[in-house]
């Protein structure tokens, strides 16, 4: 009770502050009246109306200073009321501040009807220059801002092509809108009552802890199943070994009595010790009458015991599975899609994973071979965003394997539905990542490349790559890699030629991006499209060689050599000999002979099972166990890889995961 009394005033103040913030006016009056009646002292706090009024005045003053070009007034208010942690630590705030400095530097050039006052203009330019040399220097390595560092030294920025955008009528209003939204967000956050902040912090930490515990439980269950299978096998081998040992002891006792052990008996004992796969060959091809044969075979069989094949996973009832994927609840659909994906991603590479995939294909899990309207593929356009995301994840996982791509490519509707989902999905980042990942892997197959080019996917890619900083690392990397694969085709290059200026600007901006994983694909795309004369001409006109040489100063040795190849291509007059020019022959595929399952497929799971709810392999083997139909399958061998030399730009289609692992391309 003493603890409560000690903090009572503070607690009452938190309640009062929240009621004030949420505008519970009648409740607040009653609360204050009752506190007064009971003699409970309420701490004096500023009301929400006063606090909001003060914030509103500051915002209005900042916007007025922006409109009037009052540079000093604006930045005094900016530094006083925007927390330094946001100004120095938030990338959006830093970018916004940079453009605000540009706004005030060129204000007189844009607003003055007559020639602006030279002294005042010089003062503004000097202020901007000081900013560039101090706080603004941190952005000098960013491609987006690099041209603006030349602004203070250009005599007439209004006519310079690099600054044309700044003097368009729409530039200042758009910047003002960004400023207003930023200020709304900042001042709203600063007015959040302490009670709400405490609730959010504790609630979030508890939620994260619960999710972590659920994930650990799932991992423990998966490990438990694996260990149980291993235990059952070891136990069976142990019983077999005890039985054989007992028989051998009896045989030794018999030899003491003078009884002989026949070769047939020795053969039967050895066959029982060896694995099932060896029994038939041992029974017919090994001569047990020769001394030492049995011991030699036994040692040979024991040597690879540690490297025995991983057991196959239980077969499933795919008819029931597909039926529930179509007519089940959204939650059941999501758990089934998750379990089917996990079965593929967590299986051991080799026979176990190949058998899982072959079961999906032979049972046409995704209805790629059928023509029914109500197919599993329709889940990609389902009403539940969780189901849509988990369907995209499963398709991406299957597309990670060469046989899976071959299966998905059987139906044109798979590609069509993925392209539709890609263009429609603007809220769920993970769904778009997985759809994009699947399409990028599809681009290893020529017929699918052709279809994507004809569907205008290159234009969509160029459009989203105009703002790379707004994309996740996965989306950026797979978008650029997909663009490169499509640009390797004649049709893709010709499509780029129709928007040559835009494509070249996007690719040149990407050259200086901080995500260095995309560099090989940017270089490959540039090298490929520069084989088109009209694109070379456009590139020369925009000073592409100077841009490339600028990046050579900061690149590593491999990057420098690749750029040298690109510059050579830029300055060539004809298509150089020896380049692997991609033609329109659809019979040849650019498939790699390696399967890569990236870790991102299972990241950030949206659903967790509740207490007593089945998920993962346990759900599949409890509710959907089928007749044992699993059979191994000989892997289809891909064509011999053309080994890529790191000095040259990429000239064959690749996937980012395959390229990182150094597979032939």
């Amino acid at each position: 009770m003493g603890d409560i009394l000690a903090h009572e005033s503070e607690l009452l103040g938190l309640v009062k502050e929240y009621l004030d913030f949420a505008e519970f006016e009648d409740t607040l009056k009653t609360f204050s009246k009752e506190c007064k009646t009971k003699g409970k002292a309420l701490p004096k706090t500023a009301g929400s109306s006063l606090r909001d009024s003060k914030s509103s005045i500051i915002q209005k003053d900042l916007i007025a200073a922006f409109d009037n070009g009052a540079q000093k007034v604006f930045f005094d208010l900016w530094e006083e009321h925007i927390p330094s942690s946001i100004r120095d630590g938030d990338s959006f705030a830093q970018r916004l501040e940079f453009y605000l400095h540009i706004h005030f530097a060129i204000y007189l050039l844009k607003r003055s009807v007559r020639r602006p006052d030279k002294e005042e203009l010089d003062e503004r330019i000097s202020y901007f220059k000081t900013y560039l040399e101090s706080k603004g220097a941190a952005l000098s390595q960013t491609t987006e801002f690099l041209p603006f560092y030349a602004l203070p030294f250009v005599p007439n920025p209004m006519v310079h092509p690099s600054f044309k955008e700044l003097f368009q009528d729409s530039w200042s209003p758009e910047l003002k809108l960004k400023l207003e939204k930023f200020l709304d967000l900042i001042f709203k956050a600063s007015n959040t009552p302490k009670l709400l902040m405490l609730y959010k912090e504790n609630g979030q930490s508890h939620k994260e802890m619960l999710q972590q515990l659920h994930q650990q439980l799932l991992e423990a269950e998966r490990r438990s199943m694996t260990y149980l299978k291993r235990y059952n096998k070891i136990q069976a081998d142990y019983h077999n070994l005890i039985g054989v040992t007992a028989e051998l002891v009896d045989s030794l006792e018999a030899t003491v009595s003078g009884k002989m052990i026949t070769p047939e008996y020795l053969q039967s004992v050895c066959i029982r010790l060896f694995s099932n796969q060896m029994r038939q060959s041992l029974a017919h091809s090994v001569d047990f009458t020769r001394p030492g044969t049995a011991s030699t075979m036994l040692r040979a069989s024991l040597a690879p015991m540690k490297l025995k094949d991983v057991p196959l996973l239980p077969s499933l009832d795919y008819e029931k599975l597909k039926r529930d994927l179509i007519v089940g609840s959204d939650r059941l659909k999501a758990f089934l899609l998750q379990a089917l994906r996990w079965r593929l991603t967590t299986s051991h590479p080799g026979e176990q994973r190949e058998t899982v995939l072959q079961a999906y294909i032979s049972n046409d899990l995704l209805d790629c071979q059928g023509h029914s309207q109500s197919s599993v593929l329709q889940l990609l356009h389902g009403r539940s965003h969780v189901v849509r995301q988990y369907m995209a994840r499963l398709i991406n996982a299957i597309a990670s394997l060469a046989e899976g791509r071959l299966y998905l490519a059987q139906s044109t509707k798979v590609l069509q539905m993925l392209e539709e989902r890609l263009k429609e999905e603007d809220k769920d980042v993970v769904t778009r990542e997985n759809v994009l990942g699947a399409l990028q892997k599809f681009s290893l197959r020529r017929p699918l490349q052709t279809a994507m080019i004809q569907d205008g996917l290159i234009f969509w890619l160029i459009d989203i790559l105009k703002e790379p900083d707004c994309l996740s690392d996965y989306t950026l990397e797979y978008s650029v890699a997909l663009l490169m694969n499509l640009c390797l085709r004649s049709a893709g290059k010709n499509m780029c030629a129709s928007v040559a200026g835009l494509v070249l600007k996007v690719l040149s901006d990407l050259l200086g991006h901080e995500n260095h994983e995309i560099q090989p694909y940017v270089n490959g795309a540039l090298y490929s499209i520069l084989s088109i004369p009209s694109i070379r001409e456009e590139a020369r006109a925009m000073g592409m060689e100077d841009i490339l040489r600028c990046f050579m100063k900061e690149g590593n040795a491999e990057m420098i050599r690749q750029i040298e190849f690109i510059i050579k291509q830029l300055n060539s007059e004809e298509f150089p000999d020896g380049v692997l020019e991609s033609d329109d022959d659809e019979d040849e595929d650019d498939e790699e002979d390696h399967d890569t399952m990236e870790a991102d497929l299972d990241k950030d799971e949206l659903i967790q099972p509740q207490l007593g709810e089945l998920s993962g392999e346990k759900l599949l083997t409890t509710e959907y166990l089928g007749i044992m139909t699993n059979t191994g399958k000989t892997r289809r061998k891909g064509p011999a890889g053309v080994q890529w030399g790191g000095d040259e730009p990429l000239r064959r289609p690749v996937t980012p995961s395959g390229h990182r692992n150094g597979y032939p391309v």
Side-chain angles (χ1 to χ4, degrees):
M1 189 69 181
D3 288 342
I4 296 174
L5 291 172
H7 299 285
E8 186 177 57
S9 177
E10 187 179 352
L11 291 170
L12 292 173
L14 292 176
V15 174
K16 180 186 175 185
E17 183 189 30
Y18 179 75
L19 292 174
D20 191 9
F21 171 80
E23 298 181 357
F24 287 106
E25 295 176 4
D26 294 338
T27 307
L28 181 59
K29 287 178 184 176
T30 305
F31 177 72
S32 301
K33 183 179 178 182
E34 190 168 355
C35 285
K36 187 176 181 181
T37 304
K38 293 185 176 182
K40 307 288 185 183
L42 280 172
K44 294 182 179 180
T45 56
S48 65
S49 57
L50 180 62
R51 185 171 57 235
D52 292 345
S53 175
K54 185 180 177 183
S55 298
S56 179
I57 291 170
I58 296 168
Q59 285 180 259
K60 286 179 180 177
D61 287 347
L62 280 163
I63 297 300
F66 176 91
D67 289 334
N68 299 328
Q71 184 171 258
K72 189 175 185 311
V73 174
F74 181 90
F75 285 111
D76 285 346
L77 289 169
W78 178 267
E79 291 182 10
E80 181 182 353
H81 298 290
I82 306 300
S84 60
S85 59
I86 294 175
R87 284 187 280 116
D88 300 332
D90 183 80
S91 61
F92 181 83
Q94 290 175 325
R95 293 170 66 235
L96 178 63
E97 187 174 349
F98 193 99
Y99 284 119
L100 288 168
H101 274 281
I102 293 175
H103 164 76
F104 288 109
I106 64 173
Y107 181 83
L108 293 180
L109 294 173
K110 294 187 70 172
R111 298 300 175 95
S112 299
V113 180
R114 299 174 184 174
R115 188 179 182 85
D117 182 75
K118 188 177 185 306
E119 187 177 342
E120 187 180 352
L121 180 61
D122 288 344
E123 185 182 340
R124 287 174 178 271
I125 295 296
S126 176
Y127 191 91
F128 180 52
K129 188 178 177 183
T130 304
Y131 166 75
L132 293 178
E133 292 170 351
S134 53
K135 190 177 178 182
L139 297 172
S140 62
Q141 302 301 315
T142 308
T143 312
E144 180 184 354
F145 300 108
L146 199 56
F148 301 120
Y149 284 81
L151 182 61
F153 307 100
V154 176
N156 190 358
M158 296 180 72
V159 297
H160 197 282
S162 298
F163 310 124
K164 182 172 64 175
E165 183 185 355
L166 303 178
F167 294 94
Q168 291 179 355
D169 293 339
S170 60
W171 189 81
S172 292
E174 286 174 3
L175 181 62
K176 181 179 177 181
L177 185 62
K178 288 179 182 178
L179 174 63
E180 288 172 339
K181 287 182 178 179
F182 175 77
L183 294 175
D184 286 340
L185 194 64
I186 292 299
F187 288 112
K188 185 178 180 181
S190 65
N191 293 335
T192 304
K194 192 174 180 181
L195 184 64
L196 184 58
M197 289 171 66
L198 289 170
Y199 171 77
K200 282 183 176 179
E201 288 170 5
N202 290 331
Q204 184 63 28
S205 63
H206 288 157
K207 185 179 178 183
E208 288 174 358
M209 188 182 297
L210 194 61
Q211 287 177 343
Q212 202 171 20
L213 289 171
H214 268 300
Q215 195 63 37
Q216 289 174 359
L217 180 63
L218 289 172
E219 292 293 334
E221 285 181 351
R222 270 187 245 163
R223 286 197 301 271
S224 173
M225 287 183 64
T226 304
Y227 296 148
L228 184 62
K229 289 174 187 174
R230 291 178 185 173
Y231 166 75
N232 290 336
K233 188 167 188 323
I234 291 170
Q235 190 178 47
D237 289 342
Y238 168 75
H239 287 304
N240 185 40
L241 191 59
I242 289 294
V244 171
T245 305
E247 287 189 26
L248 288 174
V249 171
D250 291 340
S251 302
L252 284 172
E253 289 177 350
T255 57
V256 174
S257 305
K259 292 181 182 179
M260 296 293 292
I261 297 176
T262 64
E264 289 78 19
Y265 173 75
L266 193 58
Q267 181 182 18
S268 69
V269 171
C270 287
I271 287 173
R272 287 170 60 191
L273 284 172
F274 297 139
S275 63
N276 291 332
Q277 291 86 345
M278 295 177 66
R279 287 178 184 172
Q280 192 172 359
S281 63
L282 285 174
H284 295 95
S285 62
V286 179
D287 183 6
F288 284 90
T289 60
R290 291 185 310 179
T293 301
S295 60
T296 302
M297 292 302 300
L298 185 57
R299 289 191 186 97
S301 70
L302 290 174
M305 275 187 73
K306 293 182 180 178
L307 301 174
K308 278 188 178 179
D309 290 339
V310 179
L312 301 180
L313 296 173
S315 293
L316 304 175
D317 183 347
Y318 285 94
E319 285 190 17
K320 184 182 177 185
L321 255 173
K322 289 165 70 174
R323 185 169 62 251
D324 284 357
L325 280 170
I326 293 171
V327 302
S329 67
D330 285 340
R331 187 166 178 81
L332 176 60
K333 290 175 185 177
F335 274 121
L336 287 175
L337 291 169
Q338 183 190 59
L340 290 165
R341 166 168 47 89
W342 281 354
R343 181 171 257 233
L344 198 58
T345 57
T346 60
S347 59
H348 290 268
E351 186 180 7
Q352 190 185 65
R353 180 169 288 170
E354 289 167 15
T355 306
V356 171
L357 180 61
Q358 184 55 33
Y360 291 178
I361 294 171
S362 58
N363 290 282
D364 193 16
L365 177 64
L366 302 185
D367 292 324
C368 293
Q369 299 159 358
H371 302 284
S372 172
Q373 290 296 318
S374 57
S375 69
V376 176
L377 272 176
Q378 296 298 325
L379 295 179
L380 202 56
H381 293 315
R383 61 186 178 184
S384 165
H385 77 282
V386 180
V387 173
R388 290 198 306 269
Q389 184 188 118
Y390 277 32
M391 185 62 189
R393 287 182 188 236
L394 179 58
I395 292 175
N396 192 14
I398 293 173
S400 300
L401 307 174
E403 288 292 334
R405 291 190 287 275
L406 191 62
Y407 164 64
L408 294 169
Q410 292 180 65
S411 172
T412 56
K413 65 183 177 183
V414 179
L415 178 61
Q416 290 170 359
M417 292 180 75
L418 285 172
E419 288 180 337
E420 289 169 7
R421 183 79 267 141
L422 182 69
K423 293 169 184 176
E424 292 171 9
E425 194 62 64
D426 55 356
K427 294 181 181 178
D428 194 325
V429 175
V430 179
T431 301
R432 190 167 75 168
E433 283 181 354
N434 280 276
V435 170
L436 185 61
L439 288 171
Q440 203 285 325
K441 292 157 191 171
F442 277 18
S443 68
L444 294 173
R445 304 190 61 82
R446 288 196 170 217
L448 296 175
Q449 287 174 3
T450 301
M452 284 187 263
I453 292 168
Q454 290 174 348
D455 293 341
L457 198 58
I458 285 178
F459 296 135
W460 185 89
L461 290 167
I462 293 167
D463 188 54
I464 66 158
L465 288 172
K466 285 192 285 189
E467 296 187 57
D469 291 335
C470 300
L471 307 176
S472 67
D473 286 341
Y474 188 99
T475 301
L476 177 60
E477 194 173 346
Y478 276 76
S479 296
V480 181
L482 175 56
L483 178 63
M484 185 201 78
N485 285 0
L486 299 182
C487 286
L488 294 174
R489 297 295 301 277
S490 306
K493 294 173 194 175
N494 291 330
M495 191 162 283
C496 287
S498 65
V499 285
L502 180 58
V503 176
L504 289 167
K505 185 180 186 307
V506 166
L507 291 175
S508 61
D509 288 346
L510 290 172
L511 275 171
H513 199 273
E514 59 188 12
N515 184 343
H516 299 297
E517 297 290 340
I518 67 173
Q519 297 309 321
Y521 318 121
V522 176
N523 293 344
L526 265 175
Y527 186 82
S528 180
I529 64 173
L530 286 173
S531 65
I532 303 294
S534 61
I535 299 181
R536 285 203 300 271
E537 188 178 334
E538 182 78 27
R540 290 168 190 157
M542 66 181 285
M544 177 62 76
E545 184 170 349
D546 292 337
I547 295 171
L548 291 169
R549 293 197 181 280
C550 178
F551 289 115
M552 284 177 72
K553 296 175 184 176
E554 299 176 5
N556 56 33
E558 183 181 301
M559 174 82 163
I560 291 168
R561 286 192 290 270
Q562 288 185 23
I563 291 178
E564 285 172 350
F565 271 91
I566 297 170
I567 292 173
K568 186 178 178 182
Q569 176 83 305
L570 174 65
N571 294 325
S572 67
E573 295 304 324
E574 296 180 358
F575 195 82
D577 295 333
V579 174
L580 294 171
E581 170 68 3
S582 188
D583 55 30
D584 296 323
D585 183 4
E586 302 296 344
D587 294 331
E588 180 194 348
D589 267 327
D590 292 311
E591 279 281 17
E592 53 197 14
D593 192 28
H594 296 270
D595 297 330
T596 306
M597 199 75 73
E598 61 257 44
D600 295 282
L601 292 167
D602 293 330
K603 73 172 184 180
D604 302 332
E605 297 287 355
L606 288 177
I607 55 170
Q608 300 293 343
Q610 296 173 355
L611 195 62
E613 197 172 20
L614 297 176
S615 68
E617 191 66 19
K618 199 168 185 180
L619 170 62
L620 296 178
T621 53
T622 303
E623 300 293 337
Y624 300 93
L625 199 60
I627 301 169
M628 184 59 72
T629 56
N630 283 336
T631 55
K633 185 177 184 295
T634 305
R635 288 195 67 183
R636 177 179 65 90
K637 289 291 180 184
V642 178
Q643 193 66 37
W644 171 65
D647 294 351
E648 303 176 28
L650 291 165
R651 300 178 184 177
R652 300 281 287 184
V654 295
T655 62
S657 52
H659 179 63
R660 274 194 295 271
N661 291 326
Y663 293 155
V665 296

